[in-house]
Amino acid sequence: MPLYLCATPIGNLSDISARCLEILSSVDLIAAEDTRRTLTLLNHFNISKPLTSYFEHNKAQKGEYLVSLLKEGKSIALVSDAGTPAISDPGEDLVKLCIQNGIRVESIPGPVACINALVLSGFSTQRFCFEGFLSMNKRSRKEHLESLKDERRTMLFHEAPHKLKYTLTDMIEYFGPNRRIALVRELTKIHEEVIHTTLQGAIELYTEQSPKGEYVVVVEGLPDSEAKLKSQWWDNLDICEHVSEYINQGFTDKEAIKKAALDRQIPKREVYNSYHKK
């Protein structure tokens, strides 16, 4: 039997699909990131099925157990707290484990918060990238944002209310205060709200009031006009000249190599090898 990835509502229970209800009603077991929340959903639709937990801190042990049941022919549905499993949650690891064990995986489509936020943002939907949650570790957060400072695609981030102001402040450092964003909160719920502003405008807004609810932060990609200006200075330089220019500005060899690699969107090792072969 396959593992079913069942997308569940992110707020409005009416958003669940008929196919999802059919699967949840028919499987032998439902693996849930939060069994209490899932039980509320099942009770609403009069579904009675065995539940087991599958979340970040038990995924290694529980994943092996679930795979063993699937190999025995049991049918299992995986649900996250809300939305589509395997998007910024441990379901990703269970999918990999199933594939490694030759177990088929079926995705039952449904709500995805980041896609809803994208289409509400008014920014380009032609090309976009999902960046999930930024790390709690300050260095990792800054490295993540540094790698995106010249990103031209629309960027999507998830963020909790208590971390939002810190994230907006860090983003200003790399994207600038005037970068346009959309703050999408409480999707499909009673207090759903879409705020179109800039990073600086968002900082000012949340200096006066506290963020509430779960957010998707949609950041417009680097405008073509800015991208052209940013890339012009090194376009006609080879890698060695590129690194040397940063060194002449006072950066160390290591810093210059890292910055050149980020500019060119290539591995640091490639820049290092080219520079030291000069």
Side-chain angles (χ1 to χ4, degrees):
M1 297 294 289
L3 171 71
Y4 297 102
L5 305 178
C6 290
T8 54
I10 53 180
N12 192 320
L13 294 182
S14 298
D15 290 336
I16 199 164
S17 71
R19 186 180 174 204
C20 183
L21 290 174
E22 180 183 345
I23 294 295
L24 293 176
S25 299
S26 65
V27 292
D28 297 310
L29 179 67
I30 298 173
E33 190 172 9
D34 185 334
T35 54
R36 292 169 299 179
R37 184 163 182 168
T38 300
L39 185 59
T40 299
L41 175 72
L42 296 179
N43 287 340
H44 181 81
F45 290 104
N46 296 314
I47 297 172
S48 178
K49 287 290 173 179
L51 283 169
T52 188
S53 64
Y54 175 82
F55 55 92
E56 184 63 32
H57 300 296
N58 76 349
K59 66 182 182 182
Q61 180 181 3
K62 187 56 72 75
E64 295 289 349
Y65 169 70
L66 294 174
V67 165
S68 70
L69 293 180
L70 289 162
K71 286 182 174 180
E72 292 174 5
K74 301 291 185 183
S75 56
I76 300 175
L78 177 70
V79 298
S80 65
D81 273 357
T84 300
I87 302 294
S88 282
D89 80 19
E92 175 185 0
D93 297 271
L94 185 56
V95 170
K96 291 177 183 176
L97 194 58
C98 285
I99 292 171
Q100 290 167 6
N101 283 272
I103 296 169
R104 187 161 57 94
V105 180
E106 287 189 21
S107 179
I108 314 303
V112 185
C114 63
I115 298 300
N116 279 14
L118 173 65
V119 298
L120 290 172
S121 71
F123 300 143
S124 174
T125 61
Q126 298 299 309
R127 300 183 66 212
F128 58 90
C129 53
F130 175 64
E131 299 298 324
F133 287 96
L134 291 170
S135 171
M136 294 285 287
N137 179 275
K138 188 173 182 179
R139 179 177 177 181
S140 296
R141 285 166 64 84
K142 289 186 175 290
E143 287 179 350
H144 189 162
L145 291 171
E146 172 81 24
S147 72
L148 295 171
K149 66 183 177 67
D150 294 328
E151 179 58 67
R152 298 171 74 172
R153 296 172 293 178
T154 303
M155 295 167 278
L156 307 167
F157 299 85
H158 282 169
E159 196 51 277
H162 66 279
K163 289 169 50 188
L164 182 64
K165 286 194 285 188
Y166 300 107
T167 294
L168 295 171
T169 300
D170 286 344
M171 285 181 171
I172 281 181
E173 181 179 347
Y174 296 97
F175 302 144
N178 297 319
R179 182 68 66 88
R180 295 196 303 163
I181 66 169
L183 296 164
V184 186
R185 58 180 290 272
E186 296 293 88
L187 274 163
T188 80
K189 300 174 185 177
I190 294 173
H191 299 293
E192 178 179 307
E193 182 179 30
V194 183
I195 301 170
H196 299 93
T197 183
T198 62
L199 283 169
Q200 184 60 46
I203 290 289
E204 292 171 1
L205 173 66
Y206 291 118
T207 298
E208 299 174 358
Q209 64 186 61
S210 298
K212 294 180 180 179
E214 297 299 317
Y215 286 80
V216 180
V217 182
V218 189
V219 181
E220 186 178 31
L222 184 71
D224 289 344
S225 56
E226 288 185 39
K228 193 172 182 180
L229 288 172
K230 280 195 171 190
S231 63
Q232 277 179 341
W233 75 266
W234 59 264
D235 268 351
N236 297 319
L237 302 180
D238 63 28
I239 291 178
C240 292
E241 292 169 334
H242 193 165
V243 174
S244 296
E245 182 62 31
Y246 276 127
I247 291 173
N248 292 338
Q249 293 175 28
F251 292 96
T252 66
D253 284 12
K254 184 177 180 180
E255 291 169 338
I257 288 169
K258 180 180 178 181
K259 291 182 76 65
L262 283 169
D263 285 344
R264 293 172 179 264
Q265 295 293 293
I266 59 176
K268 284 188 292 185
R269 175 58 59 182
E270 184 177 334
V271 177
Y272 177 90
N273 289 340
S274 295
Y275 180 70
H276 286 284
K277 284 179 182 178
K278 65 179 181 178

